[in-house]
Amino acid sequence: MSVLEIHDLHVSVETEQGKIDILKGVDLTVNEGEIHAIMGPNGSGKSTLAYTIAGHPKYHVERGSIKLDGNEMTGLPVDERARAGLFLAMQYPVEIPGVAVTNFLRTAKTALDGEAPALRGWTKDVREAMKNLRMDPSFAQRNVNEGFSGGEKKRHEILQMELLKPKFAILDETDSGLDVDALKIVADGVNRAKTETGLGLLVITHYTRILRYIQPDFVHVFVDGRVAEEGGPELADRLEAEGYDRFLTETSVG
Amino acid sequence: MSAPASPLTTDEGAHQQAQLDPTQPGRAPRSDGGSSYVPVQTRSERFKSTTTSDFPAVTGREIEWKFSPIAKLRPLIEGELDGGAWHYDTVATPGVSIAWVDRADASVGSAGVPEDRASANAWTSFERALAITIDGDEIQDLALERSRLDGAPRAAHTIITAKKHSRGHIVLHNSGAAQLAENVEIVVEDGADLTVVSVQQWNDDAIHLASHFARVGRDAKLRHVVVSLDGDVIRINPSVHLVSEGADVELYGAYFATSGQHIEQQVFVDHNAPKTKSRVTYKGALQGRGAHTVWIGDVLIRQSAAGTDSYEQNRNLLLSDGARADSIPNLEIETGDIAGAGHASASGRFDDEQLFYLQARGISEEEARRLVVRGFLAEIVQRIGSPELQTRLESAIELALVPEGAPS
């Protein structure tokens, strides 16, 4: 049984105005097979949490820990965290000119498994995963994220998640910019991955819309770098009705 | 004739020159530290001569030298050059003849005339030219290895001729020590189809200045590929003259400059006949402090070249800080009747976000760089048309990626 445990996490970034503390003591435990929604207003630290778990060099862990099955992740290089079983579906995936999707996927799979996947089975897996996400086969020959529409980028992120089979995936605003049809396709992919691999999910979103298609087990509301409130799926419904104003008035904005 | 009243010119080099000396926009000579200097407004009127002394002393401010590390090049630009025969290795091929010919031979000068002093110095100095002649309908493959030049300043002259309707694939592979100024003439006769690949994998202290002149005949096709990887200074300037209707050229370049290396290419395509076509694609990667690459792409579409189609592009990938890529496309059009003309230039970083993205998928930093650079240069390397050489070059590119100080 895998578990991702975040304890007393404090994170800062360097800016031109100096160091800014963004996360101010986050505690969160995600078990295998659970879906946790992280919600909150802009600037509350949701994406910082996502990138800190993945190990982006911009974010400095000041205090606290991120443990995957008891192993400390902070301090590990980004690729080692991925090999330990963490996956981040990015909000703004970058273009990699000249590198075809098929080559990229195979290189990643080889890096994660320590050996190249068996050709025939892998080709079939890729083809089926793409079909499920309603991606045209020609997509595999395109260069990574180059000229992709917003929806194609998000589907490509979920495609990677389905094929690379992480223990835990963090979806950073995967819903933003998607129309409802694309959102359903992406949500189906997430639910399929959960059914097939039993991974744990951290779904970061500003809106409750995606939670109609991906049912969370727990909802955490981030405000000013901390978890301000936690609950079950009903908390999302309440946020849908009330918005974040209730939380914002409790903190000094600005 | 639908030519506009004045030529449409987008010549950034000329613009810059004009800013330096706004009172002298034309071809009037100007005084520049004592040397007489003629700013060139249109590429077709650039000064040409086969004789070194016809060129003024090089100051380093000239349009053709201003990006180059002149101090290192002095011995080749103005020094005495050994013009004797040089050693090469090759395997005899039935449809290809190789012979040393006298400098008075009729084939010498059939594809072009030097436009810079180093090229003229090489021309003045060579004793005999190496003539490679391709004949026959079957495709002829020839690889010529030049690996045993000594490090002394020398000149060379090579003439590659593809006879009428012949088909050839010629690889010139350079390695070892060199301080070389040379001219390579390429004649593609009517209906011929020729590929010329020049690969530079010199020793780290080598200096190589080359001018390639090509003349492409009626319905003939030239594929010209330059791959420059190793050497201190490499400057290869191909000029292609499309002189008969239907002449077609593809010019490809791939280069990888690491710390302190200077790799330069000044490409000139001269459309001088109707329905001629050119495609120019150069791609470079740079890594390390002081890595410098220069690409200047001049395309001239003359009044005589109605219905031409041309496109040139240069892309650079900067893998680290402290590297510099200069990229200057110039398009000069003297006729209003063209099928297409365009250019593109882009230089970008291999940035931390690309690295993060690939690493977040479990790929190591080293593998990520390999993936990106190999992908970037693949478009060019795949044009070489020799699988064995392609594999060799891909390994060489990967080797160049090993960070300095790391065991290689």
Side-chain angles (χ1 to χ4, degrees), chain A residues 110-217:
Chain A
T110 304
L112 289 168
D113 292 359
E115 59 178 355
L119 190 62
R120 190 182 282 178
W122 172 248
T123 310
K124 184 165 153 278
D125 289 351
V126 172
R127 200 171 49 228
E128 279 181 9
M130 285 179 56
K131 196 173 151 207
N132 286 333
L133 287 163
R134 319 267 174 88
M135 297 165 88
D136 190 87
S138 65
F139 197 88
Q141 302 312 321
R142 290 170 66 185
N143 293 332
V144 174
N145 294 317
E146 207 174 53
F148 287 17
S149 69
E152 285 174 334
K153 283 182 182 167
K154 298 300 172 68
R155 273 186 262 180
H156 180 229
E157 293 295 292
I158 300 305
L159 174 70
Q160 294 168 51
M161 187 184 79
E162 289 199 68
L163 290 167
L164 302 179
K165 304 189 192 316
K167 290 178 182 163
F168 290 93
I170 305 145
L171 312 186
D172 185 21
E173 306 212 15
T174 297
D175 53 332
S176 66
L178 294 184
D179 62 37
V180 70
D181 293 328
L183 184 65
K184 281 181 191 168
I185 292 167
V186 161
D188 284 349
V190 173
N191 292 324
R192 203 162 44 235
K194 194 195 149 187
T195 309
E196 282 178 15
T197 69
L199 83 170
L201 283 152
L202 224 55
V203 180
I204 292 175
T205 180
H206 187 77
Y207 307 102
T208 55
R209 191 176 62 145
I210 193 173
L211 304 180
R212 283 183 227 143
Y213 307 103
I214 302 173
Q215 291 290 329
D217 301 298

Side-chain angles (χ1 to χ4, degrees), chain B residues 57-73:
Chain B
V58 171
T59 64
R61 289 188 291 273
E62 297 82 356
I63 195 163
E64 71 272 27
W65 290 114
K66 65 180 184 182
F67 293 102
S68 310
I70 289 296
K72 287 179 178 175
L73 310 179

